[in-house]
Amino acid sequence: MLRHLGLGLNLLALGLFFPGILLPMFALKTEMNAWFGQGRLGASLVDKELSIMQTVEELWRDQRLLVAALIFVFSVLVPLLKTTLVGLAWYWHKLQKGKRLATWVAAIGKWSMADVFVVAIFLAMLSTNHAETTTRQSLNMFGLRLDFDISSATQSMLGDGFYYFVGYCLLSLAASQLLQYGLKTQSAPAQK
């Protein structure tokens, strides 16, 4: 029974995984404004939404290859490999290699906390939410003095991809643990 529940959670996790890497994980917006007298000038400096895959693509384009590769490996390849291995362990449940595979997947589940590490990086980026700075400047030209305030504000919001990806991480970890436990209890001799 636990083995089947583990497979079910694994399939549900897989259903959350793809929206988790394809939907925007966060939105970031930075604006700069200048006030002088009654007038105001404003400009949007950054206005973007990024998913995990868009982040990898952007990092790759910007020649930050190591960071792009690490995020891709730990947020896309390792989760897909882990999900595939959980499915194989479920299928090979009567064979010794299925039990070994389930044990191995549960052990690397702790290493797949790199998924959570990626989410933590995004959260660190989002910690700038509503950071606002204002400075007073003066401009002297031809004997005229113009005082003005310059402010910049950064706003960030979590996107749907974040919630899907966190759901994937939690369900995937639970699935591998349930499968391993189910296979252990299945092969344990019944006590009288």
Side-chain angles (χ1 to χ4, degrees):
M1 179 63 181
L2 289 176
R3 180 175 69 88
H4 298 304
L5 183 58
L7 179 67
L9 287 178
N10 190 45
L11 293 174
L12 185 57
L14 188 60
L16 295 175
F17 173 74
F18 289 105
I21 64 169
L22 297 174
L23 291 175
M25 188 165 270
F26 70 94
L28 187 63
K29 186 173 186 167
T30 302
E31 293 180 340
M32 180 174 272
N33 294 297
W35 287 272
F36 51 95
Q38 298 298 322
R40 173 177 119 31
L41 291 173
S44 179
L45 303 176
V46 176
D47 190 4
K48 63 169 69 177
E49 293 183 336
L50 289 174
S51 67
I52 289 176
M53 291 305 295
Q54 289 169 326
T55 301
V56 168
E57 182 182 332
E58 193 169 295
L59 289 168
W60 191 266
R61 247 191 341 259
D62 292 344
Q63 298 298 311
R64 294 186 238 163
L65 304 179
L66 179 62
V67 177
L70 287 172
I71 290 174
F72 184 74
V73 165
F74 286 111
S75 296
V76 179
L77 291 183
V78 169
L80 287 175
L81 176 66
K82 183 180 167 197
T83 300
T84 302
L85 293 176
V86 167
L88 287 173
W90 176 85
Y91 182 73
W92 291 333
H93 72 281
K94 291 186 179 180
L95 303 175
Q96 189 60 31
K97 66 180 170 184
K99 294 172 183 125
R100 282 195 309 259
L101 189 57
T103 302
W104 187 73
V105 169
I108 68 164
K110 292 159 184 77
W111 286 100
S112 74
M113 289 303 286
D115 304 358
V116 178
F117 176 70
V118 169
V119 172
I121 290 171
F122 281 113
L123 285 176
M125 289 174 60
L126 294 174
S127 68
T128 61
N129 197 20
H130 303 290
E132 189 169 335
T133 60
T134 303
T135 59
R136 179 165 287 282
Q137 300 291 321
S138 294
L139 178 64
N140 291 314
M141 277 192 330
F142 309 113
L144 296 174
R145 180 180 167 148
L146 180 62
D147 291 324
F148 57 97
D149 293 324
I150 297 177
S151 78
S152 64
T154 302
Q155 294 181 325
S156 54
M157 297 180 303
L158 294 174
D160 291 340
F162 172 81
Y163 298 106
Y164 280 104
F165 196 75
V166 168
Y168 155 76
C169 291
L170 296 175
L171 285 178
S172 174
L173 194 57
S176 63
Q177 296 298 316
L178 278 173
L179 179 68
Q180 180 194 21
Y181 185 73
L183 290 176
K184 273 185 184 177
T185 58
Q186 170 184 314
S187 64
Q191 295 182 352
K192 294 182 181 181

